[in-house]
Amino acid sequence: MDYFTALRVFLRSTQIQSFSGVAVELGMEVSTVSRHIGRLEADLGVALFNRTTRGLHLTEAGALLQERASRILSDLENAREEVALHNASPRGVLRINVPSAFGRLHIMPHMAEFLAAFPEICVDVTLTDTTVDLIESGTDVAIRIGALPDSTLVAKRLTGQSRRLVGSPEYIKQAGLPLKPEDLLHHNCLFFTVQPGRAWYYRPLRKPAASFEKLLVSGVLKANDSEALLEATLSNMGLTLLPNWLIGKHLQDERLIRVLPDFEWALAPGPERAIWAVYPPKKVVPPKVKSFIQFIAGRFKEPTYWEKT
């Protein structure tokens, strides 16, 4: 008896609950499927299914075999993949999911160099600010920004992410330069639509272990997009908290000025905010995924190029 084939037929039968359905899927005769199950039952000396007109139902022994066989075949598949990929070069279609603004600014500009280094890879990039299910969408690797929720995904930290309180030179000339956090109460502050309430949080950079203080500020504009708030800030409309990776060039060009730079700022207190590469859990990481993560991590070495003001 081909035990591994028999176990595969058995496991698909537990999922489809129909020998005829398994036969169609695996390209077998129904009699062949039945014969595999019969030989397993004869070898084990137990019935694996109760057969009724409504379909197949696992017996207690069948449920036990299902649990063990699933692990066995999963380990076999992982072993085959690991051996096959041991000396494999990065190749194939690499599907990447990345937040829109970050992708335009810090992923796409590196693509030519990446593809030149790995000519057997083709890249399919999706720019979206919606968090997608990587497994359901067939995504190989995604870039996520912020605090990661608990997940079964594997995550590699690429670099830190922080927010800067900024304003345009013209706005600050007109409204005055805040010298302490409480001065923000007299300024027009620009908000994110998704931000809970109108609170900003701060703590001294020299005290990274200190708790964040809460400051309720006000303003006449809010938007659901970082780039929109950036444009509003450049248009002299007020002060806002923007990601460091978004505003580096504007700080270098002095189109924006950091305000209260001795403080760390956040939209909400919580765990570390960072830029991450995440991918589905596998015992063997495909070479195309590993090569991309190593490549892009090398471009984001700290201090990152957008922090060099």
Side-chain angles (χ1 to χ4, degrees), residues 211-230:
S211 298
F212 278 98
E213 297 289 335
K214 183 178 180 180
L215 183 69
L216 294 176
V217 292
S218 61
V220 297
L221 176 73
K222 61 181 179 179
N224 68 341
D225 180 81
S226 294
E227 289 178 303
L229 287 178
L230 170 60

Side-chain angles (χ1 to χ4, degrees), residues 293-307:
I293 292 175
Q294 291 174 344
F295 172 87
I296 208 67
R299 301 305 172 277
F300 295 164
K301 286 183 178 178
E302 296 176 314
T304 53
Y305 54 84
W306 56 74
E307 288 279 22

Side-chain angles (χ1 to χ4, degrees), residues 81 85 89-96 114 118 121-123 134 138-143 154 156 158 277-282 284-297:
E81 184 177 3
L85 294 176
S89 61
R91 59 164 56 94
V93 178
L94 177 67
R95 294 178 174 84
I96 304 171
F114 174 72
F118 301 98
I121 292 179
C122 294
V123 176
L134 300 195
T139 301
D140 295 303
V141 60
I143 303 297
V154 180
K156 175 178 173 56
L158 298 175
V278 299
Y279 54 93
K282 291 187 176 182
V284 183
V285 182
K288 61 183 180 180
V289 173
K290 187 182 299 184
S291 64
F292 173 75
I293 292 175
Q294 291 174 344
F295 172 87
I296 208 67

Side-chain angles (χ1 to χ4, degrees), residues 136-189:
E136 185 177 300
S137 64
T139 301
D140 295 303
V141 60
I143 303 297
R144 298 275 169 84
I145 299 176
L148 286 182
D150 290 337
S151 164
T152 59
L153 298 175
V154 180
K156 175 178 173 56
R157 184 184 184 278
L158 298 175
T159 188
Q161 193 231 217
S162 57
R163 290 187 178 272
R164 303 284 186 254
L165 178 60
V166 294
S168 70
E170 184 62 28
Y171 173 82
I172 291 172
K173 180 181 177 180
Q174 294 174 357
L177 178 67
L179 300 178
K180 57 185 183 297
E182 292 77 11
D183 291 345
L184 297 180
L185 301 176
H186 308 294
H187 282 265
N188 189 43
C189 297

